[in-house]
């Protein structure tokens, strides 16, 4: 069975400081991992994804994440927070090896606040 | 990337009425559609999975007679909330799956905010 744990429900940072949003996963197989961002009353936007290629994944808007199999982690980082980064972030796991249309498993989300 | 269009983006309806939400894949064939529900400040919960031409598979606890899903073509799936009640107020999001390894890409609609008064 797959599961995703986002370790912080809320993270608050000052503008211009680094962002770290933590995610741990549990999967019986080699997973695909995603980070999505959701602004209020909006749909989901894909930030980045890991699908068994390079373990350090670069995404949009300066975000990146590193897949660490030994730690079963996929933490999201950004060197310098911007006010527009304030949103809800979801860590998501899927199983690519099974093929077909497998559902995604969502973490509970981390709300990022950016203070001016 | 692939585009999924969800309509309407928001809707207000009276208790007891039905509401239909459409999800269209604009530039690819969606063999599978997933419907999610999101309560305020919570994560997305999978409601049901539908394959084109087949009956939807509902997650435990989701009333199939209340949330009717139709996936009659490879580019359109609909979710109908029947006899809506205030507790059905939520944010509903569809996701289109293309099958195979491409399924690791998740193409979401923009979401529909349903408010039942």
């Amino acid at each position: 069975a797959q599961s995703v744990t986002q370790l912080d429900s809320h993270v608050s940072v000052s503008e211009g400081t680094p962002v770290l949003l933590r995610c741990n996963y549990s999967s019986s197989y080699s997973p695909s991992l995603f980070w999505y961002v959701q602004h209020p009353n909006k749909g989901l936007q894909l930030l980045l994804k890991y699908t068994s290629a390079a373990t350090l994944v670069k995404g949009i808007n300066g975000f990146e994440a590193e897949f660490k199999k030994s730690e079963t982690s996929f933490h999201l980082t950004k060197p310098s927070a911007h006010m527009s980064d304030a949103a809800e972030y979801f860590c998501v796991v899927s199983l690519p090896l099974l093929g077909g249309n497998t559902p995604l498993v969502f973490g509970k989300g981390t709300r990022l606040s950016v203070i001016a | 990337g692939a585009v999924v269009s969800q309509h309407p983006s928001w809707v207000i309806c009276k208790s007891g009425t039905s509401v239909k939400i459409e999800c269209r894949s604009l530039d690819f064939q969606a063999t599978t559609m997933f419907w999610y529900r999101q309560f305020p400040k919570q994560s997305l919960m999978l409601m049901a999975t539908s394959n084109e031409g087949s009956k939807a598979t509902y997650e435990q606890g989701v009333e199939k007679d209340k949330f009717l899903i139709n996936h009659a073509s490879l580019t359109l799936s609909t979710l109908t909330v029947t006899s809506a009640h205030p507790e059905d107020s939520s944010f509903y999001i569809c996701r289109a799956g293309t099958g195979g390894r491409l399924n690791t890409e998740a193409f979401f609609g923009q979401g529909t905010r349903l408010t039942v008064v």
Side-chain angles (χ1 to χ4, degrees):
Chain A
Q2 313 165 75
S3 67
V4 176
T5 302
Q6 290 184 245
L7 299 166
D8 307 293
S9 59
H10 183 211
V11 170
S12 183
V13 301
S14 297
E15 189 175 21
T17 64
V19 175
L20 170 63
L21 304 183
R22 298 182 295 168
C23 173
N24 286 98
Y25 70 91
S26 173
S27 177
S28 301
Y29 301 91
S30 297
S32 283
L33 294 158
F34 309 79
W35 275 99
Y36 282 86
V37 61
Q38 184 182 34
H39 288 91
N41 289 314
K42 299 290 185 181
L44 297 169
Q45 181 181 22
L46 179 66
L47 284 177
L48 49 80
K49 62 179 179 179
Y50 166 78
T51 54
S52 75
T55 56
L56 181 61
V57 182
K58 293 187 182 299
I60 62 172
N61 301 335
F63 284 95
E64 63 180 39
E66 186 172 6
F67 174 72
K68 292 186 177 181
K69 187 175 181 179
S70 60
E71 299 176 10
T72 60
S73 68
F74 191 57
H75 301 333
L76 181 71
T77 61
K78 182 173 181 176
S80 177
H82 191 273
M83 295 297 290
S84 60
D85 294 328
E88 190 83 17
Y89 291 78
F90 292 99
C91 183
V92 181
V93 65
S94 179
L95 292 180
L97 297 181
L98 295 180
N101 290 292
T102 56
L104 303 178
V105 177
F106 283 78
K108 293 190 174 182
T110 298
R111 181 164 61 91
L112 176 64
S113 298
V114 182
I115 304 168
Chain B
V3 178
V4 176
S5 176
Q6 187 173 341
H7 177 82
S9 56
W10 61 270
V11 58
I12 301 174
C13 71
K14 293 183 178 181
S15 289
T17 61
S18 295
V19 173
K20 179 183 285 188
I21 302 170
E22 292 188 349
C23 184
R24 293 180 184 274
S25 56
L26 299 185
D27 53 1
F28 67 100
Q29 293 184 331
T31 54
T32 303
M33 285 288 195
F34 304 89
W35 287 93
Y36 295 84
R37 181 175 183 175
Q38 185 182 32
F39 290 104
K41 299 184 178 181
Q42 295 190 27
S43 187
L44 278 72
M45 299 299 294
L46 180 65
M47 298 175 65
T49 304
S50 72
N51 293 300
E52 184 264 338
S54 302
K55 289 184 178 180
T57 301
Y58 290 81
E59 296 298 303
Q60 190 173 7
V62 178
E63 300 177 61
K64 61 180 181 180
D65 295 329
K66 182 169 188 60
F67 299 99
L68 302 179
I69 292 174
N70 183 282
H71 191 174
S73 77
L74 287 171
T75 59
L76 174 65
S77 177
T78 61
L79 167 67
T80 301
V81 183
T82 63
S83 186
H85 288 94
E87 57 264 31
D88 298 324
S89 299
S90 190
F91 193 61
Y92 294 87
I93 305 178
C94 68
R95 172 199 156 211
T98 58
R101 289 193 62 83
L102 286 178
N103 185 58
T104 57
E105 195 75 53
F107 306 118
F108 286 93
Q110 303 95 320
T112 298
R113 169 70 61 192
L114 170 63
T115 301
V116 184
V117 297

